Amino acid sequence: MLTLIKNGEVYAPHYLGVKDVLIAADKIAYVAEQIEIPVQFAPIKIIDATGQFVVPGFIDAHVHIIGGGGEGGFKTRTPELMLSDITTSGVTTLVGVLGTDGTTRRMESLLAKARALEEEGVSCYIHTGSYQVPVKTLTNRIEDDIILIDKIIGVGEIAISDHRSSQPTFEELVRIATAARNGGILSGKAGLLEIHVGDGKEKLSLLEKILDQTEIPARHFHPTHINRNMELFTAGISYAKRGCYVDFTTSTIPQFLEEGEVKCSTGLKIMLKQGVPIGSITFSSDGQASLPYFDDNGEFSGLQVGKMSSLFQEVRDAVIEEGIPLEQAIQVITSNPAQVLKLPHKGSIQKGKDADFVMLDKETLNIQTVIARGQIMVERGVPVVKGTFES
């Protein structure tokens, strides 16, 4: 099947100008200034992208695809993610994680959900483990999970500096990181260690100690929630300047912002002004996670649910409210996470890459069309492909 996107202003994510893009099955076959439609040829679906920006499909590197939470008891376990929540957010590739609950949420279910989402049309990977140490894996070894199970590309999210974590020691975290790295080397995968950073006083000190005292490369760590307060955010700036990755969480609630959480769009502008390379920064939604809040005694007070739609909303705000060029802002949810996750076929508009696209209205930057692996998932902002159990 052939699809031709015509007359769109292409950000690949770097600006290419007005281009035509030819899709063959699930791959990008050609990008050119003008692609003529041959006479008496196989059927070609034409998408007129006049007045639209054409950008790579978004990559969300941290999503609770089978739900999360439970900090307020069983009734607060958040529900599974639905396909249209993903696609209407412009996301075509995502990474599933467990989080706080590694007991009632299990790796078997995480893997099954990832395969289900693949069958429904998007690309989905997962990390092995949860907040807890020792890491709960499928095969009983981190290396084996990464090497032998196609969907598993790393470990996490392992929690540090958080009252809900297992308080891993320096030695424990080094062993986990080494196992993840070795699994990645032997399988050609990222071997990434996804790190949940809480609001504890230790901040990133454990990761900094690993950088100072071991040979493990800095870019095997992907600390997230780096914007949860100004103290951690400031530590994140210094950490990123060491050649490390930092990840902002876009899902939030007004209470968190009032208590000092740094809005992602604002944080992006600050980090860039502080000299952090754009390639070191990613955004992720923490979609479908619980967003719990606790009182001064650490007692649960309530929660809301993370939304994948927040991912592009913060990029959009970075462009419209903070004046960051689209070419730069879009990298934090396209080419940057593709690099972090070692997904060379994702994150850019280039011949031979996966045919993942989002088309944005040039005036409003609203999402109009979403294409995942060559299939139109959203048209005029409305999902045209729905999940198996969506009405």
Side-chain angles (χ1 to χ4, degrees):
M1 180 178 178
L2 298 174
T3 302
L4 181 59
I5 303 171
K6 289 193 69 66
N7 306 317
E9 202 164 336
V10 176
Y11 285 80
H14 299 293
Y15 184 67
L16 298 183
V18 176
K19 300 287 183 181
D20 290 353
V21 182
L22 180 65
I23 302 169
D26 61 350
K27 299 293 182 183
I28 299 173
Y30 205 52
V31 181
E33 288 190 10
Q34 188 171 8
I35 299 175
E36 298 295 337
I37 303 169
V39 179
Q40 295 182 337
F41 192 64
I44 301 177
K45 180 175 179 60
I46 308 298
I47 299 175
D48 185 4
T50 301
Q52 297 179 61
F53 295 131
V54 180
V55 303
F58 305 153
I59 301 172
D60 196 337
H62 191 109
V63 187
H64 294 266
I65 59 176
I66 59 172
E71 289 92 343
F74 294 116
K75 68 179 181 293
T76 65
R77 296 166 78 250
T78 65
E80 285 196 5
L81 188 65
M82 291 293 184
L83 179 68
S84 62
D85 292 327
I86 300 168
T87 56
T88 56
S89 301
V91 173
T92 57
T93 302
L94 64 161
V95 180
V97 296
L98 283 183
T100 318
D101 184 1
T103 300
T104 69
R105 312 280 192 182
R106 298 182 62 84
M107 283 301 303
E108 292 86 349
S109 298
L110 191 69
L111 178 59
K113 180 65 174 182
R115 297 203 187 283
L117 290 173
E118 287 266 354
E119 290 176 1
E120 290 180 334
V122 295
S123 299
C124 189
Y125 303 89
I126 60 174
H127 291 314
T128 190
S130 57
Y131 272 23
Q132 288 76 37
V133 173
V135 176
K136 295 181 179 180
T137 63
L138 278 170
T139 65
N140 294 322
R141 291 185 77 236
I142 290 170
E143 298 97 317
D144 292 359
D145 271 19
I146 295 174
I147 293 167
L148 299 176
I149 300 172
D150 58 339
K151 290 295 167 196
I152 296 178
I153 60 174
V155 183
E157 55 179 313
I158 303 294
I160 64 172
S161 196
D162 194 296
H163 63 93
R164 294 165 291 173
S165 80
S166 299
Q167 307 302 324
T169 65
F170 169 77
E171 291 78 12
E172 286 174 325
L173 204 59
V174 167
R175 283 195 291 270
I176 294 168
T178 301
R181 173 168 168 75
N182 289 341
I185 290 172
L186 294 171
S187 63
K189 298 177 183 176
L192 194 69
L193 190 53
E194 184 79 357
I195 298 289
H196 163 105
V197 187
D199 54 7
K201 61 182 180 180
E202 295 300 318
K203 303 180 185 66
L204 298 167
S205 60
L206 194 53
L207 298 184
E208 291 167 341
K209 185 177 180 182
I210 292 173
L211 297 184
D212 292 336
Q213 299 187 20
T214 77
E215 300 76 31
I216 301 171
R219 295 204 161 190
H220 271 281
F221 300 94
H222 191 230
T224 189
H225 316 318
I226 209 76
N227 57 311
R228 71 165 64 246
N229 59 54
M230 183 53 74
E231 292 77 17
L232 177 58
F233 182 79
T234 301
I237 292 174
S238 299
Y239 180 78
K241 285 183 175 181
R242 299 185 65 175
C244 306
Y245 294 127
V246 289
D247 184 63
F248 296 12
T249 299
T250 57
S251 290
T252 190
I253 58 175
Q255 179 179 336
F256 292 172
L257 294 170
E258 291 169 5
E259 292 174 350
E261 184 178 88
V262 180
K263 192 175 186 299
C264 290
S265 54
T266 304
L268 178 60
K269 184 174 183 177
I270 293 171
M271 277 210 177
L272 294 176
K273 281 190 172 182
Q274 289 292 320
V276 175
I278 184 65
S280 296
I281 303 169
T282 60
F283 284 7
S284 64
S285 73
D286 206 14
Q288 226 52 29
S290 68
L291 304 177
Y293 33 99
F294 301 87
D295 63 22
D296 293 340
N297 297 316
E299 296 295 328
F300 174 81
S301 298
L303 62 78
Q304 293 188 33
V305 179
K307 301 294 184 185
M308 289 190 73
S309 58
S310 66
L311 186 72
F312 181 64
Q313 183 60 55
E314 284 299 323
V315 171
R316 184 176 180 272
D317 286 353
V319 175
I320 294 175
E321 296 180 5
E322 304 296 342
I324 297 173
L326 178 62
E327 178 180 43
Q328 199 170 32
I330 205 72
Q331 291 179 47
V332 302
I333 57 171
T334 58
S335 57
N336 290 1
Q339 175 180 295
V340 171
L341 300 168
K342 284 197 175 180
L343 301 176
H345 51 298
K346 300 289 186 182
S348 62
I349 298 175
Q350 185 179 341
K351 181 180 178 180
K353 302 272 184 141
D354 284 358
D356 298 334
F357 301 93
V358 176
M359 297 177 207
L360 308 169
D361 181 271
K362 287 176 65 173
E363 299 299 323
T364 64
L365 291 187
N366 290 332
I367 294 171
Q368 299 297 308
T369 302
V370 178
I371 299 174
R373 302 203 316 257
Q375 181 179 12
I376 298 175
M377 308 297 284
V378 174
E379 203 165 22
R380 297 184 179 89
V382 177
V384 294
V385 176
K386 293 189 176 182
T388 306
F389 298 103
E390 293 185 276
S391 58

